[in-house]
Amino acid sequence: MLNLERLRTLDALARHGSVSGAAEALHVTTSAVSQQMGKLEREVDQQLLAKNGRGIRLTDAGRLLAEHAARILSQVELAQSDLEAHRGQVVGELRLSAFPTAARGLFPAALAALRARHPALRVRSSELEPENGVAGVVRGDLDLAVVLDWYNKPMPVPDGLVKAPLLDDPAEVALPAGHRLAGREEVDLGEFAEDEWITWGEGEFCHEWLMFTLRSRGIEPIVGHRAAETHTQLNLVAAGLGVCIAPLLGRHPVPEGVVMVPLKQRVRRHVYVVWRADADRRPSIRAAVQELRGAAGAIA
């Protein structure tokens, strides 16, 4: 009989491509991963791993078994989901992530409500950028991820995931109080061609969106400063160091010396939650989605 935990280890190796990556995903040591794989190779009497420079790779037999392992683990997830649904109790462990402003704006209320209503449910949360959150759900490292895309730049969701909307998050331009446009009722992005922008980190989804949006308006952005957190960006604006796009979610309180001005373009982010389709019937998933929607409804 194939051991399920060893198949889970093989699946993690196939998904992450390294012993260290698999160990991190499984929350075990690298030696534990190696030991599990050694036992699995003895069970099947075939070599599943081969050295590849300083790392490892799956052999043909390893890839074949890893494909079966992914299907087996999906069926186990489905069976667990059905059993939880049959029992109807919100118990066990739930792992979820959110991008930083959603973690600030949604998690405190949603997770506190989950704890109050379902004390037998253990919740583990983390901050992750949207792409990393989606990847974590696909790999099985996470049960849920709160992610986003923009009105003009959708983020594809892989097959096998379920998607539910939480809120549309309006964004405005944050300006220093002394900025030439600070007194306007609304502004156009084209009016910021000469301004320095305070934006997110290189390669982050929101940064790429801003570059795409400004360039589509014929503006080559002048990026002065980068910061992952909205409140860091807003404090840089308050110091007169540039302008930034500030969505509503997670931005309060706005620092003194910052003026928020709506955009004519009505810029919005779409915030939603994703989870694996094979876990769709788990009461804990449904309870978490309900509380996230409740927290989002209080903001929208």
Side-chain angles (χ1 to χ4, degrees), residues 67-245:
E67 290 173 4
H68 284 288
R71 290 192 291 270
I72 291 167
L73 293 170
S74 179
Q75 283 299 118
V76 170
E77 178 79 41
L78 185 59
Q80 291 173 335
S81 178
D82 284 346
L83 284 171
E84 277 191 35
H86 185 266
R87 185 170 52 186
Q89 295 178 343
V90 181
V91 297
E93 182 174 271
L94 193 71
R95 302 155 300 169
L96 66 166
S97 75
F99 57 93
T101 49
R104 170 190 279 268
L106 297 178
F107 272 6
L111 301 190
L114 267 177
R115 173 175 287 185
R117 291 187 176 93
H118 308 288
L121 180 66
R122 298 185 304 277
V123 179
R124 302 288 180 264
S125 70
S126 58
E127 282 189 5
L128 287 176
E129 288 301 315
E131 304 96 322
N132 295 332
V134 168
V137 174
V138 169
R139 289 194 305 266
D141 302 339
L142 297 169
D143 299 301
L144 290 161
V146 178
V147 297
L148 67 90
D149 57 23
W150 291 84
Y151 73 103
N152 61 341
K153 192 174 177 62
M155 185 175 72
V157 174
D159 292 340
L161 298 189
V162 178
K163 171 180 173 180
L166 294 178
L167 77 155
D168 280 350
D169 187 22
E172 299 175 328
V173 181
L175 308 174
H179 193 278
R180 68 186 187 282
L181 302 176
R184 295 271 293 276
E185 291 188 3
E186 61 179 15
V187 291
D188 188 281
L189 277 174
E191 297 179 270
F192 296 95
E194 303 303 320
D195 284 272
E196 280 194 65
W197 283 93
I198 299 162
T199 180
W200 298 266
E202 184 74 39
E204 289 186 16
F205 186 78
C206 288
H207 170 78
E208 296 304 319
W209 164 79
L210 181 60
M211 299 300 101
F212 165 81
T213 302
L214 292 173
R215 286 166 180 156
S216 70
R217 300 296 303 273
I219 301 170
E220 183 54 39
I222 305 168
V223 176
H225 305 278
R226 301 178 188 275
E229 267 286 356
T230 297
H231 278 78
T232 304
Q233 294 184 16
L234 290 174
N235 276 286
L236 292 170
V237 172
L241 298 174
V243 302
C244 76
I245 295 289

